[in-house]
Amino acid sequence: MFKKIGPGVLVAAAFVGPGTIAMCTLAGARFGYALIWALVVSILATIVLQGMAGRIGVVTQSGLVDVMRQELKVPWIRKTVITVVLAAILIGNAAYEAGNIGGATLGLEQLVDQEWTKPYLPILIGFFIFLLLWFSSYKVLERIFVGLVGIMGASFVVCAIITKPSVAEIVKGMFVPRLPEGSLFTVIALVGTTVVPYNLFLHTSLVKEKWKSVNGIKEVKWDTIVSIALGGIVSLAILVTASAAPIADVNQVLDMAKGLEPLFGKMAVYFMSVGLLAAGVTSAITAPLAAAYVASSCFGWSGGMQDKRFKLTWTFVLFCGVISLSFDIKPIEVIQFAQVANGLLLPIMAMLLLWVVNKRSVMGQYQNTMLQNAFGLAIVLFSIFLGMKSILKVVGVF
């Protein structure tokens, strides 16, 4: 079974990072179980879109940017799309990296608990990630991620279980959509932090590292479904835990753990800290990796993960993340803004993905079925609906 686990684990680890933890914490603390439906919709949308991205990778044995570059025949359109994608992924992932390393730092601070070490922890984590990326192959990273995701999942699920949540209320939150006052931006952010556009590019590139022919298409499908569903269970556990935590305001993720401490003891803080550290490290690895894969496709580099230019790209993103932490900005505010922006960018990326996966010249017999297109179109319409509502709310019309 473990031999068949592949890029899906990395995708799950990428979206269950400090951003997801922060948004699920905010959703649970402020609105209880009311927004579980939004999380469920986000997970289903992720499975559908990542399934398409994985299929493109295994059928074409190319990255998503490579395929778009080949299929966009009008030069100015091709250059515009590639430039926008490259800029969005490089700049966006450099910004996310600060939140990823910041989340890992918050978790490690609680475990080390030595005041003099705090200024050095981001550098220590950054250096650890640098060594992993520099010396590891894809297969080594895959095994590391399986271990880290297992630790992260166990930590957060234990936290949820010890709060003794109401199963009836959880089921109601899943199947009865509600939009409490002031929850719109939280819903958009939940979608944005789960259905992450850069993961589409990452997944397409990683699939061809694992499976070298179209014979692996069935394994790609189940790897995606199982891995992302497990990631969804972790996200749900975080939201459920936050719903039970007696906290009035959330300025950082560990406020939830501190809220649980009077009820469940110091172990609640330790479990949350370990989970946050694992989530931060996994996302801090995938964000630079995704940026490097996109840059490699845009510029046609052929050396894979060992190409010096590939390594220079992820080093730049990682360096930006470590340096950004020197500014006095609340990480949760940056994370919130980034996830809302992600949610607004999603419809564009989803439409590009649907266009590619429906081209017979690219996919042959593996192009989308009518049912897959229906799901994909529903995701695009839903994300456009949320985006329009948020814009109208900002300008005061809605």
Side-chain angles (χ1 to χ4, degrees):
M1 182 182 74
F2 286 105
K3 287 182 180 179
K4 293 181 180 180
I5 290 177
V9 174
L10 277 75
V11 172
F15 79 73
V16 187
T20 295
I21 297 171
M23 294 319 307
C24 289
T25 299
L26 289 171
R30 294 175 182 174
F31 306 107
Y33 300 133
L35 299 184
I36 291 179
W37 66 270
L39 186 58
V40 172
V41 169
S42 300
I43 295 299
L44 293 176
T46 303
I47 289 173
V48 172
L49 293 180
Q50 295 295 160
M52 293 180 194
R55 192 156 22 103
I56 290 171
V58 77
V59 170
T60 65
Q61 289 295 299
S62 300
L64 186 54
V65 176
D66 293 314
V67 176
M68 288 193 301
R69 192 173 64 231
Q70 291 167 10
E71 294 302 314
L72 291 168
K73 305 300 183 183
V74 181
W76 72 267
I77 295 178
R78 180 172 60 246
K79 288 179 182 178
T80 301
V81 170
I82 297 301
T83 301
V84 168
V85 167
L86 180 63
I89 298 297
L90 282 178
I91 296 170
N93 285 20
Y96 287 141
E97 192 68 355
N100 294 333
I101 296 175
T105 302
L106 283 174
L108 191 56
E109 280 177 0
Q110 300 301 310
L111 299 173
V112 175
D113 202 22
Q114 295 291 325
E115 194 66 33
W116 68 271
T117 63
K118 289 185 178 181
Y120 306 105
L121 292 182
I123 298 172
L124 178 65
I125 291 169
F127 184 65
F128 172 70
I129 293 166
F130 175 85
L131 291 177
L132 276 180
L133 285 171
W134 190 271
F135 293 107
S136 296
S137 64
Y138 167 74
K139 288 184 178 179
V140 173
L141 285 177
E142 191 177 89
R143 290 167 186 166
I144 290 169
F145 269 70
V146 169
L148 287 173
V149 169
I151 292 168
M152 175 174 64
S155 299
F156 289 126
V157 169
V158 167
C159 280
I161 290 171
I162 63 175
T163 63
K164 298 180 181 178
S166 167
V167 176
E169 286 298 313
I170 291 173
V171 172
K172 181 181 177 182
M174 283 183 180
F175 297 105
V176 183
R178 288 173 285 170
L179 202 62
E181 182 70 28
S183 65
L184 176 62
F185 286 120
T186 304
V187 170
I188 295 171
L190 279 174
V191 174
T193 193
T194 307
V195 194
V196 184
Y198 84 71
N199 275 347
L200 300 174
F201 297 93
L202 179 65
H203 198 184
T204 308
S205 296
L206 290 178
V207 159
K208 60 188 178 67
E209 299 274 356
K210 176 82 173 180
W211 292 284
K212 301 299 182 183
S213 75
V214 76
N215 294 331
I217 199 162
K218 188 175 181 180
E219 291 179 345
V220 171
K221 175 184 174 181
W222 287 109
D223 170 57
T224 303
I225 292 172
V226 172
S227 298
I228 293 173
L230 290 174
I233 292 171
V234 174
S235 298
L236 177 62
I238 297 163
L239 192 153
V240 167
T241 304
S243 300
I247 46 179
D249 189 33
V250 180
N251 291 312
Q252 57 167 295
V253 179
L254 285 170
D255 287 343
M256 177 169 68
K258 291 172 182 175
L260 292 171
E261 188 175 355
L263 298 176
F264 306 109
K266 194 71 175 176
M267 287 307 294
V269 178
Y270 287 141
F271 275 117
M272 191 66 65
S273 300
V274 169
L276 183 56
L277 174 60
V281 169
T282 53
S283 294
I285 293 172
T286 54
L289 204 56
Y293 271 119
V294 169
S296 180
S297 293
C298 288
F299 295 115
W301 302 335
S302 58
M305 288 183 66
Q306 302 309 314
D307 190 294
K308 290 182 180 178
R309 295 162 295 184
F310 186 96
K311 290 184 174 183
L312 185 62
T313 303
W314 63 249
T315 300
F316 168 76
V317 173
L318 180 60
F319 179 76
C320 287
V322 174
I323 293 298
S324 297
L325 289 178
S326 60
F327 294 97
D328 188 23
I329 301 173
K330 286 184 178 179
I332 204 160
E333 292 175 354
V334 178
I335 289 168
Q336 269 189 287
F337 175 79
Q339 304 312 337
V340 171
N342 228 9
L344 297 177
L345 180 66
L346 175 62
I348 301 169
M349 301 313 303
M351 284 188 282
L352 276 172
L353 185 70
L354 276 172
W355 173 70
V356 170
V357 85
N358 275 291
K359 289 187 73 69
R360 183 169 288 276
S361 60
V362 176
M363 300 299 294
Q365 63 178 311
Y366 300 104
Q367 68 185 107
N368 262 9
T369 63
M370 287 184 65
L371 182 61
Q372 288 168 329
N373 278 330
F375 281 128
L377 185 60
I379 293 165
V380 171
L381 293 176
F382 178 66
S383 55
I384 290 173
F385 168 72
L386 288 177
M388 290 301 297
K389 284 192 74 171
S390 69
I391 292 168
L392 293 174
K393 189 174 180 66
V394 168
V395 299
V397 175
F398 182 79

